[in-house]
Amino acid sequence: MTYLRYRITAYRYALKMLFKQLNQFALMLSTLFYIFLPGLIGGMFFGLGKIVQSDSEQTSNQVMLGCLMFQALILNVLKPAILDNAHRMFHHSLMKSKTSIIAADITLLFVSHALLWMSIVLALAMGLDKLVKAPHFVGFMITQVSMGIMLLYRPQAVVLTLVVTLALLPAALSNLTYLAWCNVVMLVSCFVGPIWLTYSPARLTVWSFWVLYGFHNAWSLAWRICINLLLVWGVAIIGAERPELLHWYTPLVGLFTLLIWSSLCIKTTKYINEHRLFWVSLKQLDALIKAQHVFIFVLYFLFWFTGVVLLSFDVFSLMILIVAPLLQWSAVTMPQRLAVCWASLSVLVYLIKVLI
């Protein structure tokens, strides 16, 4: 009886931690993206609708891959809370079998899987008759679940699956065949050993220092790159369907890209502070800080330029590019006010756009 009580208490605490993480995540989204939040939710349902019914199976495959990639990014943020990493060993000490722990992990995964819930809501709204006519949407929901579970225990398999399925897009496969390949690749990737990327510069300079930072903090760069690609990709699909709305969405891409890469200044500044005395001893601290801003601005410019080429160019996109160094400066000097500065800039851009 005592064992059962401790077990129930442990999982109540894990569920409490998950809800706390979800509340913080929802608060962050509503604080940073409150201007665009209704549009983001509407855009997700629009994307799910394109999976159900589209003039082209190629477009459906693209949207499915985008949703799976977006799901992987969100769940990776929530993964420490889902697995309750802080108390993981305590759970193992209570449970004699891993089955109970895995069952609890999957339960918490379902609780926090917002995109799966959106798919379920859409499936219920469609009804059984329409759902039978779109079996690939059922397959997509199954893939959402399998990829979510795989992300908890074999994250490398998810990364390899997304890379391979991206390469399969030009093959113009049917929706069900594409999803079948996705699951097969994910299963095979489970047996692939760990892949490590290493870099050892012959001479440490301010530039090789940032290359090393990129290798040691690959996830920090990878999720920003993925979010940028998904954002441009999603807006391109919307622009293809509703070209008259594209001029409203193009500044949004520039603003989100600016926020994503400006926030990197906060992490890199902490990294500089950890090695400040070393670079002061070399009298290269100022050069390192300048290289930091150049490095981040170049990354921002590359994705800003990608958005301009694939979407459209206007004076508002140029204005966002010009003020990018100011937001980087804000992230370094006033990190706690970055969200306010970005939101103020977003309101200003769209206010001028409406007035003009």
Side-chain angles (χ1 to χ4, degrees), residues 209-210 213 216-217 267-275:
F209 176 82
W210 289 118
Y213 174 86
H216 293 159
N217 299 270
K267 293 181 66 67
T268 51
T269 299
K270 291 180 181 179
Y271 196 67
I272 289 174
N273 291 334
E274 292 175 5
H275 304 85

Side-chain angles (χ1 to χ4, degrees), residues 265-283:
C265 288
I266 299 175
K267 293 181 66 67
T268 51
T269 299
K270 291 180 181 179
Y271 196 67
I272 289 174
N273 291 334
E274 292 175 5
H275 304 85
R276 176 177 291 271
L277 292 179
F278 171 75
W279 290 102
V280 167
S281 67
L282 297 178
K283 298 181 181 180

Side-chain angles (χ1 to χ4, degrees), residues 36-53 63 67 70 113-126 137 140-141 144 237-238 249:
F36 306 111
L37 199 55
L40 288 174
I41 297 173
M44 285 306 303
F45 276 109
F46 174 81
L48 293 174
K50 296 299 291 182
I51 294 174
V52 175
Q53 186 175 13
V63 176
C67 289
F70 188 50
H113 203 326
L115 295 182
L116 177 61
W117 284 107
M118 293 176 72
S119 298
I120 292 173
V121 168
L122 182 59
L124 292 174
M126 290 170 58
F137 190 67
F140 171 71
M141 290 192 289
Q144 283 184 292
I237 292 174
I238 293 174
Y249 282 95

Side-chain angles (χ1 to χ4, degrees), residues 315-316 349-356:
V315 67
F316 298 99
V349 168
Y350 276 91
L351 182 61
I352 295 174
K353 191 171 180 63
V354 170
L355 292 178
I356 293 178

